[in-house]
Amino acid sequence: MRIAMISEHASPLAVPGGEDAGGQNTHVAQLSTALARDGHEVRVYTRRDSPDLPAAVPLPGGGYVVHVPAGPAEPLPKDALLPHMGDFGRWLGERWGGAEPLPDVVHAHFWMSGLAAVTAARRTGVPVVQTYHALGTVKRRHQGTMDTSPPRRIGYERTLGRAVDRVVAQCADEVRELVRMGVPRNRIVVVPSGVDDEVFAPTGPVAPREPGRPRILTVGRLVERKGFQDVIAALRLIPDAECVVVGGPPGARLDDDPHARRLRAFAVALGVADRVRLVGAVPPDQMPHWYRSADVLVAAPWYEPFGLTPLEAMACGVPVVATAVGGLTDTVVHGLTGDLVPPRDPRALGAAIHALLEDRVRRFAYASAAVDRARQSYTWRRAAAQLGTVYSAVVGVRRTSGAVA
Ligand code: UDP
């Protein structure tokens, strides 16, 4: 099949770790590569955010990234992109069937990509599959007035859910949320994100660590909702352990980062600063080294649409302590591959981490079950195969209904 992926702000070529670059970038890159390996022709359309970018760039594992002119050719925060989505969609609609062959299916990532996809599809008749990655309703519930999303986001997301041919949810919690939003259940399929189990594996290089000191690793963009402050607060209940935080801007720029400064000040106030180490952004190919160096991976978000980092740690044979939110309640099996605790509860988090660090046998059992679970249920190969079936189904329906020539 000829597959058009749209990922308006999250280029698969961007390095994850910064404020707007994380799981979606990884997701689109890995999925596109896995689909290309299955023999599909994949193009990923992302917004041109620099005048120096070539029109199209081959993806290392197969497929192409196409830079779409929409808005100024400079970096913009994702919450400022909505006014440019009309241009994005019109550009695609004119190009498909002209300068480029018509795709069989378009898969939009994030709600604004969905708007561009629907605009292009209206002109070309190409079926649209939508993955939200994050939902405005959930963000509003947790962030309240701090939510900087465009005010009409929730309405657009609801409308999109009814306009597209299929909605791909990433976990059971998202299905519940979509149904509450009014998206018809029979239009939703669940295809979870995955992990590259050849890269994220128990054996391989290990990041250096201090002998004899237990290491808690936590990974992600340093934004507040990732709950790093709860991990730092939990440290008070875990004597001797160090907490390594990977993510944010590159290490040399951490001093200028307001989130990093906030976390450091918090650690100082709690008297645990000597046990908290902020590493900054780590290149994706070095992430496995950091996971392997840890005794436990802690993921303590307030909410999490999917959450790749616990899965990556599991594939590396590292037990996980996570908050029981979003996708983490699917990937982490409480008492089998890790422990789940309530969100925003540093006491419960600290108690769970401490108990696990004290119990070598349980850590070992969790680690081996975690590797099995990641390999069996969460590879990108599996996700690509499941999506291939979804795409075939929507293309088939359109063909039989005569909507596409
Ligand atoms: N990541 C990375 N380097 C970093 C921090 C994160 O490569 O310094 C990657 C991490 O391995 C994962 C992704 O960024 O693949 C984060 O995805 P997740 O779903 O955990 O969080 P999101 O950023 O989407 O909220």
Side-chain angles (χ1 to χ4, degrees), residues 16 22-23 26 219 221 225-226 246-247 281-282 284 287 291 307-309 312:
T26 308
V219 179
R221 295 172 290 128
R225 67 112 170 151
K226 289 286 180 181
V246 163
V282 164
M287 287 303 298
Y291 288 124
L308 285 173
T309 65
E312 292 169 347

Side-chain angles (χ1 to χ4, degrees), residues 135 138 141-142 169-180 190 303-306 324-330:
L135 288 170
V138 180
R141 190 176 310 140
H142 289 278
Q170 292 182 278
C171 63
D173 185 60
E174 188 183 351
V175 175
R176 287 189 286 274
E177 200 69 46
L178 289 165
V179 170
R180 270 201 295 270
V190 179
Y303 66 96
E304 187 61 271
F306 183 75
V325 295
L328 308 184
T329 57
D330 283 6

Side-chain angles (χ1 to χ4, degrees), residues 220 345 396 399:
D345 186 345
R399 292 235 162 99

Side-chain angles (χ1 to χ4, degrees), residues 178-237:
L178 289 165
V179 170
R180 270 201 295 270
M181 272 165 60
V183 178
R185 180 65 185 89
N186 61 3
R187 210 168 288 177
I188 307 171
V189 289
V190 179
V191 179
S193 284
V195 63
D196 183 343
D197 60 343
E198 284 166 22
V199 173
F200 293 95
T203 50
V206 180
R209 57 176 277 179
E210 202 182 312
R213 168 161 283 211
R215 173 172 287 180
I216 297 163
L217 178 70
T218 184
V219 179
R221 295 172 290 128
L222 299 183
V223 294
E224 207 175 6
R225 67 112 170 151
K226 289 286 180 181
F228 295 119
Q229 63 277 34
D230 295 337
V231 186
I232 292 171
L235 260 193
R236 287 178 303 177
L237 299 175

